[in-house]
Amino acid sequence: MLVTCINKFSEFDKLKSNWDEVYQADLHSNFFLSRTWLRSWFEVKPDSWLILGIKPENSNSYIAFFPLGVRITQKNGLYLFGDLYMGGNYWADYT
């Protein structure tokens, strides 16, 4: 298995059909894990984001995605990673 870090909107946009395929196959998916919701949420939220994509070594298609949010804090001019949380909305019950 290969794990890829996706952290640019251009990379995320290229995943539309693959994301939708994985989303449809997941019995536990909900609107807040849809590409449409996540793309919109990542645009307006103040924190950084990334998505871990997992695919078999000899495949171009991902089989799983794990969206994450990264809250970065600054103290005394130093940037520190404060929190790593599931992407989407950290107030949502699925996280």
Side-chain angles (χ1 to χ4, degrees):
M1 291 291 175
L2 296 174
V3 177
T4 304
C5 180
I6 301 141
N7 60 3
K8 294 183 175 77
F9 285 116
S10 59
E11 295 170 347
F12 191 22
D13 291 341
K14 290 177 186 177
L15 297 175
K16 182 180 182 342
S17 63
N18 194 177
W19 187 287
D20 292 344
E21 181 182 316
V22 171
Y23 178 77
Q24 293 297 323
D26 183 356
L27 299 176
H28 301 287
S29 64
N30 61 58
F31 176 73
F32 299 106
L33 295 173
S34 69
R35 198 190 71 78
T36 302
W37 170 262
L38 287 170
R39 176 70 162 83
S40 299
W41 178 247
F42 288 158
E43 281 186 31
V44 299
K45 71 184 212 64
D47 301 328
S48 298
W49 62 272
L50 62 97
I51 299 167
L52 298 179
I54 300 166
K55 62 183 170 182
E57 280 189 48
N58 298 324
S59 177
N60 291 329
S61 294
Y62 291 95
I63 59 170
F65 297 101
F66 188 37
L68 296 166
V70 182
R71 185 171 300 117
I72 301 170
T73 57
Q74 183 178 5
K75 192 171 188 175
N76 298 327
L78 206 58
Y79 289 97
L80 307 169
F81 288 95
D83 296 309
L84 181 65
Y85 57 89
M86 288 180 63
N89 184 341
Y90 45 83
W91 297 298
D93 60 353
Y94 68 88
T95 61

